[in-house]
Amino acid sequence: MEGRRRSARIQMLEKKAPPPPTDSSDPELEEGVDDGSRRKVYKRRRTDIAPTSKPKPKTKPKPKLPNDGSTASDSISPAAVSSGAGYYLAPTIDGNEKPPSLKVTETIRLFNKHYLHFVQEEDLRCKKLEADKATKNSKKNNAVGEDDAKRPSKRPDLKAVSKMMQNKEIINATKRFGAIPGIEVGHQFFSRCEMVVIGFHSHWLNGIDYIGQSKQREFSGYRMPLATAIVLSGQYEDDQDNYEEVVYTGQGGNDLLGNKRQIKDQVMQRGNLALKNCMEQSVPVRVVRGHRCPNSYVGKVYTYDGLYQVIKFWAEKGISGFTVFKFRLKRIEGQPPLTSNQVHFVRGRIPNSVSEIRGLVCDDISGGLEDIPIPATNLVDDEPIPPPGFTYTKTLIWPKDIAIPPTGSGCNCRGTCFDPNTCACAKLNGSDFPYAERDGGRLIEPRAVVFECGPNCKCGGTCVNRTSQRGLKYRLEVFRTPNKGWGVRSWDYIPSGAPICEYIGKLIKTDQIDPSSETNYVFDIDCLQTMKGLDGRERRLRDVSLPEYVDNGDEKALDAAPEFCIDGFSTGNISRFINHSCQPNLFVQCVLSNHHDIKLARVVLMAADNIPPLQELTYDYGYGIDSVLGPDGKIKRMPCYCGAPECRKRLY
């Protein structure tokens, strides 16, 4: 197949909106499946891309006030775009509002960015405090350190919520009854604060969310207050949960220290009165269940299980002898299947050993090279077969005809880097550290390029600025999909910003590829083109320090096509099996560690979202529609089978 696609990074950075989706039933689309033999086609030269005329800009219609209780301002504000989250934000479609599912995803990603920023801020404060105490440079330093130590530290997740409220980055700020657009039954939240920023449940602590008496004029047809959502998290000793029916204990009177015991009588007011009014006026309530999860920073993961009706309430003496209100809720029929009981089922499917895996066709595709075995399973084919033969490698295969760039000078930090004003590597990143020291290191936000510590740095291997160099740390599985060939999923929860793997294979020059040879697994190293804003890419230099040959402003001296690429067809690693999605949960990050040659940057796949177990890992291959030409010069088309809610229907 002629041509080679741009890397997934480009799709995330382009300013222009994607072309309108084409229906997958188009008779001109190629027959077949989006499998490993056809999916990774890359753009070799700009002449391989069909010319497109620029469409006339469309005038964005004035937003109309919806009749479902939301407001026309429920979209992400311009502040979200200018805050550095632009890598995450998808373009509007045909000048209209973004689909609700994209708005929800982007808002939660923005929350995670703010959260990790405040985590890093607190970590640096604590490290500086320890350093000041250790050096004892002056009484003034000691006094400052003591004051900082006594000052309570606000939780980073609550700081993130406050920041988003201040920037008006929260969506669905106006409370509404019923379902929230973009949140399907089964959606999982990693914290209560995530629910707050998307307007699903407006308080990070209270179990009952409700619309109060002050909104009576806006809801003249109802008697207020009315409940909108409840969270079942085991906080009350009298709760009973049978999934389809719930006996929910009203709010108030319990010990806030966390032992769940009632210490005084409950009162029929606020949330309790709101649930009572829901029963009398037949208003549905959103129900969320919390489950223990060590991977979540709050120790729980929350699952939305749909709408319930309050069918009965009563008062009784609770287990501790105090009056409590009980509310019986029954799940409304006709909704998607209940998921919380399936959460336990899904976790039960995660095997403890290779011998427990269903459909196992290979114990470890890495052949023992990875510290964590990577099994392969096939429950699709009638005669299960393992992935086709290839040689697994953990390191990039470097040919003799490509010179290895000189190693960077490195930093003089000891142990671990923590002062961005003195660390030489942090200065390359704009006097900033890209990673937060949480969950083994998480990238705060995508960047044009990340400068990591390298061989000549004085810091140790535990330095957070070496996060992407530590190899696989999650239990991954290669599995056969029904119509996309082989895919990859994780047995573990993966937090946003965590590195998954590096794209590994044979390093080659793009002008040395034989057009008639297999090029389906070739990945362009286009970091330089992205940073310079070439070929339609959005220029994003930020505050990084660029080598002189890049920052000389001589655009004409730069070839618009990437000079180097990575071929993972015959030799590669786990990355070669990761599929495309129009709404992916991974993104591509260029990283420089051993050297500072941007044309030979490392290509690392990182988590864009908090990813639950057994969810397929995907990234956007970044094709432009009608961008691939065949040998005859005609546009080639291929349907997309990613299954995303906002799928573009075509891979190219």
Side-chain angles (χ1 to χ4, degrees):
M1 184 177 294
E2 279 294 317
R4 203 165 63 252
R5 73 163 175 83
R6 289 182 289 183
S7 77
R9 179 170 199 79
I10 309 311
Q11 183 68 22
M12 304 177 75
L13 301 181
E14 286 187 340
K15 295 179 180 177
K16 298 179 181 179
T22 304
D23 188 82
S24 59
S25 62
D26 189 334
E28 296 186 25
L29 293 181
E30 293 188 29
E31 297 294 332
V33 298
D34 175 16
D35 60 15
S37 65
R38 307 178 61 187
R39 66 187 185 191
K40 294 187 176 76
V41 183
Y42 293 67
K43 188 181 73 170
R44 171 181 286 185
R45 287 282 185 267
R46 284 192 291 179
T47 53
D48 291 341
I49 302 301
T52 56
S53 58
K54 295 184 179 180
K56 295 182 179 179
K58 296 184 178 181
T59 302
K60 185 174 181 179
K62 294 182 179 180
K64 296 180 180 180
L65 188 66
N67 58 7
D68 57 1
S70 64
T71 65
S73 62
D74 283 344
S75 61
I76 294 181
S77 70
V81 180
S82 62
S83 64
Y87 289 92
Y88 284 137
L89 301 179
T92 56
I93 297 177
D94 288 341
N96 297 320
E97 281 292 326
K98 300 171 187 176
S101 60
L102 282 182
K103 291 167 63 177
V104 167
T105 297
E106 292 167 359
T107 304
I108 293 178
R109 287 176 177 174
L110 187 56
F111 165 78
N112 287 328
K113 172 206 161 183
H114 288 308
Y115 165 74
L116 290 174
H117 167 77
F118 289 118
V119 166
Q120 183 190 64
E121 186 179 78
E122 179 63 14
D123 287 343
L124 293 177
R125 185 188 72 84
C126 293
K127 287 182 178 180
K128 187 177 185 304
L129 177 62
E130 293 175 0
D132 288 344
K133 286 183 176 181
T135 55
K136 296 182 179 180
N137 290 329
S138 66
K139 293 182 179 180
K140 181 178 179 180
N141 285 342
N142 289 334
V144 171
E146 291 173 2
D147 291 342
D148 287 345
K150 293 178 181 178
R151 186 176 59 208
S153 176
K154 193 175 181 181
R155 284 173 44 175
D157 54 342
L158 299 185
K159 281 187 174 182
V161 171
S162 297
K163 183 71 172 179
M164 294 184 69
M165 287 182 174
Q166 178 183 347
N167 293 347
K168 298 181 179 180
E169 295 167 341
I170 288 179
I171 61 174
N172 301 319
T174 301
K175 294 185 181 182
R176 68 178 81 191
F177 305 126
I180 298 294
I183 300 294
E184 304 294 334
V185 171
H187 186 102
Q188 292 189 331
F189 304 93
F190 264 54
S191 77
R192 294 278 295 270
C193 288
E194 288 185 10
M195 297 187 229
V196 174
V197 298
I198 63 168
F200 191 84
H201 192 290
S202 66
H203 200 277
W204 64 275
L205 181 61
N206 293 342
I208 305 174
D209 191 15
Y210 62 93
I211 302 174
Q213 297 279 6
S214 61
K215 301 294 183 180
Q216 184 64 68
R217 287 188 177 182
E218 298 178 28
F219 296 88
S220 57
Y222 295 93
R223 183 172 67 258
M224 310 306 285
L226 283 171
T228 59
I230 63 172
V231 176
L232 291 166
S233 57
Q235 184 64 30
Y236 288 86
E237 60 187 356
D238 295 282
D239 281 347
Q240 297 178 28
D241 187 358
N242 296 317
Y243 297 113
E244 294 290 345
E245 283 197 13
V246 176
V247 176
Y248 185 77
T249 305
Q251 66 181 190
N254 69 318
D255 188 352
L256 296 179
L257 295 179
N259 61 15
K260 305 179 184 178
R261 295 182 62 83
Q262 289 291 131
I263 57 176
K264 61 182 179 180
D265 293 337
Q266 292 184 348
V267 181
M268 181 54 72
Q269 61 183 14
R270 297 191 294 273
N272 297 333
L273 181 58
L275 284 174
K276 174 178 176 290
N277 287 341
C278 282
M279 181 198 72
E280 295 174 348
Q281 300 175 75
S282 298
V283 174
V285 179
R286 299 186 293 272
V287 171
V288 179
R289 288 178 169 87
H291 304 276
R292 292 187 181 278
C293 175
N295 299 84
S296 171
Y297 58 83
V298 296
K300 287 185 177 181
V301 63
Y302 298 87
T303 305
Y304 172 50
D305 278 338
L307 299 176
Y308 283 65
Q309 198 79 46
V310 183
I311 59 175
K312 184 180 180 182
F313 90 96
W314 66 95
E316 66 178 37
K317 292 293 182 181
I319 295 175
S320 298
F322 294 94
T323 299
V324 295
F325 291 105
K326 296 293 190 70
F327 299 89
R328 185 180 297 278
L329 293 89
K330 185 175 182 180
R331 195 167 191 264
I332 297 175
E333 296 181 355
Q335 300 182 83
L338 190 67
T339 58
S340 278
N341 55 354
Q342 295 176 10
V343 170
H344 299 290
F345 172 71
V346 167
R347 290 176 179 172
R349 289 175 52 197
I350 301 175
N352 296 316
S353 64
V354 174
S355 61
E356 300 177 14
I357 302 177
R358 296 176 57 225
L360 183 69
V361 291
C362 180
D363 291 351
D364 181 9
I365 65 167
S366 77
L369 292 180
E370 300 286 2
D371 295 335
I372 304 175
I374 306 174
T377 60
N378 189 340
L379 293 171
V380 174
D381 298 329
D382 292 334
E383 295 183 9
I385 58 172
F390 75 103
T391 302
Y392 198 97
T393 180
K394 287 180 61 176
T395 57
L396 194 67
I397 305 301
W398 206 288
K400 295 181 180 179
D401 62 338
I402 299 179
I404 299 177
T407 305
S409 57
C411 64
N412 294 318
C413 304
R414 299 292 179 178
T416 182
C417 303
F418 76 91
D419 189 346
N421 296 316
T422 60
C423 175
C425 297
K427 290 180 179 179
L428 292 173
N429 289 303
S431 295
D432 187 22
F433 288 116
Y435 299 102
E437 290 190 79
R438 187 61 59 96
D439 306 306
R442 293 166 61 180
L443 188 67
I444 296 175
E445 61 176 320
R447 296 173 174 238
V449 64
V450 167
F451 289 88
E452 290 190 346
C453 294
N456 288 337
C457 293
K458 301 300 189 297
C459 60
T462 59
C463 177
V464 70
N465 204 37
R466 299 177 184 265
T467 292
S468 75
Q469 305 171 39
R470 296 170 185 161
L472 299 184
K473 62 180 181 180
Y474 300 105
R475 296 177 296 167
L476 303 180
E477 171 195 344
V478 174
F479 70 104
R480 188 70 169 173
T481 69
N483 53 15
K484 297 187 296 183
W486 297 94
V488 178
R489 58 191 173 196
S490 171
W491 294 356
D492 302 310
Y493 274 95
I494 301 176
S496 64
I500 307 300
C501 60
E502 182 177 349
Y503 199 93
I504 293 293
K506 293 181 179 179
L507 179 66
I508 55 178
K509 294 181 179 180
T510 55
D511 59 7
Q512 293 180 348
I513 293 183
D514 182 357
S516 62
S517 65
E518 175 62 69
T519 60
N520 297 328
Y521 292 86
V522 177
F523 199 113
D524 285 341
I525 305 176
D526 63 352
C527 181
L528 175 60
Q529 284 68 31
T530 297
M531 296 177 72
K532 301 298 290 185
L534 301 178
D535 197 20
R537 300 163 173 85
E538 182 178 354
R539 182 186 177 98
R540 287 184 177 271
L541 294 181
R542 295 174 58 86
D543 295 323
V544 298
S545 300
L546 300 182
E548 184 177 352
Y549 74 91
V550 177
D551 201 28
N552 57 15
D554 185 8
E555 299 282 352
K556 295 181 180 180
L558 296 171
D559 185 1
E563 185 175 346
F564 301 99
C565 55
I566 302 171
D567 186 356
F569 173 63
S570 60
T571 303
N573 68 343
I574 182 70
S575 63
R576 70 192 298 277
F577 296 104
I578 299 179
N579 279 317
H580 160 85
S581 175
C582 297
Q583 291 179 256
N585 50 26
L586 307 181
F587 64 91
V588 177
Q589 177 62 61
C590 292
V591 178
L592 292 172
S593 51
N594 292 343
H595 59 80
H596 293 167
D597 190 338
I598 296 177
K599 294 181 294 183
L600 291 167
R602 295 168 52 228
V603 176
V604 181
L605 295 173
M606 297 199 170
D609 306 303
N610 296 317
I611 306 172
L614 301 183
Q615 183 182 104
E616 184 177 0
L617 305 181
T618 58
Y619 65 99
D620 194 331
Y621 284 2
Y623 288 109
I625 301 298
D626 296 338
S627 65
V628 179
L629 303 180
D632 56 0
K634 293 183 178 180
I635 294 175
K636 301 196 71 173
R637 302 185 179 187
M638 186 174 185
C640 179
Y641 297 100
C642 73
E646 304 301 330
C647 176
R648 296 189 290 269
K649 305 302 181 183
R650 285 172 55 187
L651 193 59
Y652 52 79

